[in-house]
Amino acid sequence: MVSDQARVVLAVDPGRAKCGMAVCSAAGILARAVVPVGDVGPTAAEWQRRFGVTDIVVGDRTGSDAVVRAIAAAVSVPIRSVNEAGTTLAARARYFAEHPPRGWRRLIPRTLQTPPEPHDDYVAVLLAERALMLPAGGPPVP
């Protein structure tokens, strides 16, 4: 059993064309990226080696089955499905907190704006942070 301080979580926000990925630990965010679906398995394997990933969580919405299969083929860490309800709006808020709108866009309420670049990696960070609050292990995806 891995202690909570030693846990390193790889989280994936699945999609049809691209996926947000993030590696987090109790120390914070270690890596994050938006990658094409075809690169999810190789990226997961590389990050498992580089960061010593102990847990993998995948959001339960669009494209999750194919993403879970790709990751399972590339790594030996158990994969858990997690509820990703509410993460898109929370990720948008976090994106704008880190990248405040400039120029005329600062006059428009942030809740009415969409980030100008993919922000799926922010969703993955939120999923990883949620997973770090849960007990280690848990039921893997069948």
Side-chain angles (χ1 to χ4, degrees):
M1 181 89 161
V2 178
S3 76
D4 285 344
Q5 292 301 315
R7 287 177 67 198
V8 178
V9 175
L10 167 62
V12 181
D13 174 35
R16 287 188 180 94
K18 64 185 179 346
C19 296
M21 298 181 72
V23 177
C24 298
S25 70
I29 301 167
L30 305 175
R32 69 175 188 218
V34 178
V35 301
V37 170
D39 292 346
V40 170
T43 302
E46 177 190 337
W47 286 2
Q48 179 191 13
R49 283 189 300 276
R50 186 186 315 167
F51 301 109
V53 170
T54 61
D55 297 62
I56 298 176
V57 295
V58 176
D60 63 354
R61 301 284 165 95
T62 306
S64 64
D65 291 340
V67 168
V68 166
R69 284 192 301 274
I71 295 170
V75 301
S76 59
V77 176
I79 303 167
R80 289 193 288 172
S81 179
V82 293
N83 184 347
E84 60 178 288
T87 55
T88 300
L89 291 177
R92 183 183 301 176
R94 185 176 281 191
Y95 176 90
F96 282 125
E98 291 184 19
H99 307 282
R102 296 175 180 259
W104 63 269
R105 290 187 179 271
R106 72 181 192 288
L107 303 173
I108 300 172
R110 291 178 185 177
T111 55
L112 297 177
Q113 296 189 51
T114 302
E117 59 189 348
H119 62 286
D120 307 75
D121 53 334
Y122 284 83
V123 175
V125 168
L126 292 170
L127 294 175
E129 290 172 349
R130 285 182 182 180
L132 285 168
M133 290 188 272
L134 298 172
V141 173

